[in-house]
Amino acid sequence: MKDDSTLYVGLDVHKDSITVAYAIGMSEVELLGKVGTTEAEVDRLCKRLQSKAGRVSVVYEAGPCGYGLHRNLVAKGLDCMMCAPSLIPRKPGERVKTDRRDAIKLVRSLRAGDLSAVHVPTVEDEAFRDLARAWSAAREDLKQARQRLKSFLLSHGVHYLGRANWGPAHRRWLSTFSFDSTWQQLAFNEHRRTIEDRLAQCERLEVALREAVVDWRFFPAVLALQTMRGIQFTSAVGLVSELGDLSRFEHPRQLMAWIGVTPSEHSSGAKRRQGSITKTGNSYARKLLVESAWSYRHPARVSIDIQRRHEGIPKAIIDRAWDAQLRLCRRYRKLVARGKSAHVAVIAVARELVGFIWDIGRLGMTLAVARSA
């Protein structure tokens, strides 16, 4: 029978089953058992939970099953949270892990307020992110295919005298080279064909991204980020698709921590010890960020390519991007002059770059809304 208490529910979700545990208010945690993952079985579960209390709060770990269950539960009126698995409290020395224990632990942690929620994107944002990740995966496949071909040539003592950077001269040399053995030539041709297929795939996906991004709600943020040095179209699309709505971060320090570029710390008493960056959160966004930060090791300037990306962008955004370039280039030089290694300096620049991305991305969305109003 319903009452005014809150029903806390923990779900241990797998592909074919969901283990359910619950507690009403501060009472003991009870195990409800296992249910299926079909829509009909989830509907029956929701009705059973809603019959026990007036307010139902559900939590489960983010995992490979996506956001479908979360959206389904929210649509049925349940308060649902996906939590970060790496931030769930764990007892030292705990050696037994079962679905039942995980579900009960989630109930207790939810009731204590010890869980960190994972941002759930909209259906449209998730679809665009999938397209951006497909392009990233294709680029990674292309990189691996090129490395396999280089390794194949090296293992047979074949050396290219120039720079093997896949430029026009390097590609012409590959197209004219041949092995004496028919079998080796066949393997060589297959390696080259794989590279050509991956190149074609990357081109198709990039064209699709350029066509789709125009209708995406974060298109103004993508345009605004491209005014910055080191952030071209693909980098801007990758960053915005992974970061999502920048307005959900009240301060740039929150975004820095989310990407994982803040220093780790182990302090006690009067001692304060900071170490390397935490590397928590989104690894792909962090990778794009660090790649962009390397461009600030050179003196500040506005190249022809950056000028082209400035066309049609409000002056306030362009001025902010120039401020970022001046500050970050100066920051890199100062750190190197103090004896810091290039890698340490670039990570420090990347951390400050996050603040400018947060500011310029939000500014781009704000100005776009003001124009449309």
Side-chain angles (χ1 to χ4, degrees):
M1 187 175 181
K2 291 186 178 181
D3 53 36
D4 294 333
S5 299
T6 299
L7 180 70
Y8 298 97
V9 183
L11 307 178
D12 190 67
V13 180
H14 295 279
K15 181 178 67 174
D16 299 320
S17 67
I18 302 175
T19 303
V20 186
Y22 70 93
I24 300 177
M26 301 305 295
S27 63
E28 288 293 325
V29 181
E30 300 182 30
L31 189 68
L32 189 64
K34 282 191 176 183
V35 299
T37 56
T38 63
E39 187 173 353
E41 289 172 304
V42 172
D43 288 343
R44 285 196 295 268
L45 174 63
C46 291
K47 291 177 181 178
R48 290 182 64 183
L49 296 175
Q50 290 173 329
S51 67
K52 294 180 180 294
R55 179 175 178 268
V56 181
S57 182
V58 184
V59 65
Y60 69 96
E61 298 180 35
C65 295
Y67 306 104
L69 178 61
H70 178 278
R71 295 184 179 121
N72 194 1
L73 295 176
V74 170
K76 290 176 171 48
L78 277 65
D79 181 13
C80 183
M81 178 180 75
M82 291 179 67
C83 65
S86 61
L87 299 179
I88 296 176
R90 286 179 172 81
K91 295 179 181 178
E94 193 173 38
R95 294 292 183 270
V96 179
K97 181 186 182 302
T98 64
D99 295 347
R100 173 179 171 276
R101 283 172 174 255
D102 288 346
I104 292 174
K105 184 193 297 183
L106 286 173
V107 174
R108 291 171 176 164
S109 299
L110 175 65
R111 189 167 56 185
D114 292 335
L115 299 177
S116 299
V118 170
H119 173 66
V120 179
T122 64
V123 175
E124 181 190 26
D125 293 345
E126 184 184 12
F128 188 85
R129 188 180 66 181
D130 289 340
L131 181 60
R133 286 181 175 180
W135 179 88
S136 173
R139 289 290 300 177
E140 190 64 28
D141 292 342
L142 173 61
K143 179 182 177 181
Q144 293 177 2
R146 286 173 167 175
Q147 184 59 42
R148 281 194 296 268
L149 178 56
K150 283 186 174 182
S151 300
F152 176 78
L153 294 175
L154 181 62
S155 65
H156 292 88
V158 179
H159 303 282
Y160 178 62
L161 298 180
R163 294 184 61 186
N165 58 356
W166 304 99
H170 185 209
R171 292 199 300 270
R172 280 196 302 270
W173 176 80
L174 288 173
S175 63
T176 58
F177 183 81
S178 61
F179 285 90
D180 295 332
S181 171
T182 304
W183 297 339
Q184 288 179 338
Q185 184 63 33
L186 179 60
F188 177 64
N189 290 338
E190 287 300 321
H191 282 301
R192 287 183 53 214
R193 187 174 292 111
T194 301
I195 293 175
E196 293 169 1
D197 292 342
R198 296 289 78 77
L199 277 171
Q201 183 184 19
C202 290
E203 291 175 1
R204 289 195 306 270
L205 288 170
E206 186 170 345
V207 170
L209 277 174
R210 291 186 180 275
E211 293 176 353
V213 73
V214 179
D215 299 324
W216 192 33
R217 64 178 180 136
F218 292 132
F219 180 53
V222 173
L223 291 178
L225 291 186
Q226 290 183 76
T227 61
M228 303 180 69
R229 184 176 189 169
I231 302 181
Q232 300 180 358
F233 172 76
T234 51
S235 299
V237 165
L239 283 169
V240 177
S241 64
E242 296 295 333
L243 302 181
D245 188 2
L246 291 173
S247 62
R248 64 191 176 97
F249 300 101
E250 297 180 358
H251 195 276
R253 290 195 187 93
Q254 296 178 353
L255 181 55
M256 295 174 191
W258 187 85
I259 295 180
V261 291
T262 54
S264 58
E265 185 170 350
H266 186 80
S267 300
S268 179
K271 294 182 179 179
R272 187 186 182 203
R273 298 176 181 175
Q274 288 185 312
S276 59
I277 59 174
T278 60
K279 293 187 179 180
T280 58
N282 194 296
S283 60
Y284 179 54
R286 186 167 60 252
K287 174 186 174 183
L288 293 175
L289 178 70
V290 175
E291 287 177 351
S292 301
W294 276 103
S295 65
Y296 292 93
R297 68 188 187 276
H298 305 294
R301 71 184 185 90
V302 179
S303 65
I304 297 177
D305 186 43
I306 296 178
Q307 290 179 18
R308 193 179 300 113
R309 301 202 298 266
H310 283 179
E311 295 178 0
I313 304 298
K315 187 175 183 300
I317 296 178
I318 296 175
D319 292 343
R320 194 69 179 127
W322 177 243
D323 292 340
Q325 188 171 170
L326 290 176
R327 176 181 174 87
L328 297 179
C329 291
R330 183 170 60 249
R331 174 71 168 159
Y332 177 85
R333 291 196 303 271
K334 285 185 177 180
L335 290 172
V336 172
R338 285 165 48 189
K340 299 293 185 181
S341 67
H343 291 278
V344 172
V346 165
I347 295 300
V349 169
R351 182 164 52 251
E352 292 195 20
L353 178 60
V354 173
F356 286 103
I357 289 175
W358 177 84
D359 188 24
I360 292 176
R362 287 163 54 103
L363 184 59
M365 294 299 298
T366 301
L367 293 179
V369 172
R371 281 187 172 186
S372 59

